[in-house]
Amino acid sequence: DVKVTQSSRYLVKRTGEKVFLECVQDMDHENMFWYRQDPGLGLRLIYFSYDVKMKEKGDIPEGYSVSREKKERFSLILESASTNQTSMYLCASSLSVKDNQPQHFGDGTRLSIL
Amino acid sequence: AQKITQTQPGMFVQEKEAVTLDCTYDTSDQSYGLFWYKQPSSGEMIFLIYQGSYDEQNATEGRYSLNFQKARKSANLVISASQLGDSAMYFCAMREGLGDYKLSFGAGTTVTVRA
């Protein structure tokens, strides 16, 4: 069965800390994505990756970076956490073979920056 | 400009009745795909149904169907025979172009099913 695993369901960090959010998929998917979800705004794409070591900016990349050293793992990094990065973060993956392939999501990480 | 618009922030529906969730989209591409996802209070996003821009028939998956009106650029989700477990937030999303796997999401609609 399809599985996307995010390392933490809840995380509390302090302003200025470097924060790592980890995501692992076991489906051999080429594409991986990081979104943040805020009330009234839906999901907004932060970064995505089409292949190992490849990354592209999404709609709101400022203050974030990503790393994809292995196909199954996609990490989101908050270089210096700020309170406006308190949000729900969702990781997703998908196949590249067909356009109708849905993205499969992890359970999300609720991140609070104090 | 907003690519996906969901105008209903919240809706109530009686158990066993049908409910329609509105979604309009904006794209200049001829090839695109539309997806609906369900997000229960637990947080996971569950894929429900897909409609491709060249699909001639409206998509159906069990109790879910998609009312696709291409000229109006709308892709409304219909849930028939609502169940208490259908209470969740529902998101409409669009993929534009060929070979581009990014999705643009709407703001979501919260559905509450009443017994």
Side-chain angles (χ1 to χ4, degrees):
Chain A
D1 202 10
V2 167
K3 190 67 177 175
V4 178
T5 303
Q6 294 184 229
S7 53
S8 305
R9 289 298 303 269
Y10 301 92
L11 204 55
V12 180
K13 296 291 183 181
R14 297 206 172 274
T15 304
E17 280 192 69
K18 191 169 186 177
V19 181
F20 293 85
L21 301 183
E22 306 288 344
C23 175
V24 177
Q25 50 97 1
D26 65 358
M27 298 161 286
D28 203 33
H29 284 173
E30 294 87 354
N31 308 317
M32 295 190 75
F33 309 83
W34 273 106
Y35 296 89
R36 65 175 282 175
Q37 180 181 2
D38 300 289
L41 298 178
L43 278 71
R44 292 179 293 166
L45 183 64
I46 305 171
Y47 266 98
F48 60 100
S49 169
Y50 288 141
D51 200 351
V52 175
K53 296 191 186 293
M54 303 295 288
K55 60 185 179 184
E56 290 196 31
K57 293 180 180 179
D59 299 319
I60 50 164
E62 296 78 18
Y64 303 94
S65 63
V66 290
S67 172
R68 193 166 181 200
E69 296 296 319
K70 294 184 178 181
K71 191 175 184 179
E72 66 271 19
R73 186 180 297 270
F74 193 35
S75 303
L76 179 69
I77 304 154
L78 285 65
E79 296 291 344
S80 177
S82 64
T83 54
N84 62 13
Q85 292 178 310
T86 290
S87 187
M88 170 77 142
Y89 290 86
L90 290 159
C91 174
S93 71
S94 72
L95 276 172
S96 292
V97 177
K98 293 181 181 179
D99 291 334
N100 64 349
Q101 291 295 314
Q103 292 183 12
H104 299 275
F105 285 81
D107 289 342
T109 296
R110 295 188 187 275
L111 175 64
S112 295
I113 307 296
L114 304 179
Chain B
Q2 198 75 358
K3 292 186 178 180
I4 296 286
T5 303
Q6 294 180 254
T7 56
Q8 307 150 311
M11 298 181 71
F12 291 94
V13 61
Q14 205 64 31
E15 197 177 9
K16 299 181 184 178
E17 291 185 352
V19 62
T20 298
L21 308 184
D22 294 341
C23 172
T24 57
Y25 57 91
D26 182 24
T27 182
S28 56
D29 285 333
Q30 295 301 308
S31 176
Y32 52 90
L34 297 153
F35 299 79
W36 276 93
Y37 284 85
K38 171 184 178 181
Q39 186 181 42
S41 57
S42 51
E44 75 272 27
M45 295 281 283
I46 303 166
F47 165 68
L48 296 177
I49 196 167
Y50 168 83
Q51 180 84 43
S53 58
Y54 294 118
D55 293 341
E56 295 183 353
Q57 305 246 355
N58 284 344
T60 60
E61 286 287 347
R63 293 187 299 109
Y64 304 107
S65 61
L66 207 150
N67 183 2
F68 182 47
Q69 298 188 42
K70 197 170 181 177
R72 293 186 177 183
K73 292 189 174 180
S74 76
N76 299 339
L77 177 71
V78 180
I79 306 173
S80 62
S82 295
Q83 302 171 357
L84 296 178
D86 293 334
S87 294
M89 179 162 275
Y90 291 81
F91 290 96
C92 179
M94 177 175 64
R95 172 200 51 75
E96 295 177 271
L98 289 171
D100 187 344
Y101 302 98
K102 303 192 302 289
L103 292 179
S104 298
F105 283 82
T109 296
T110 300
V111 172
T112 304
V113 181
R114 289 169 163 161

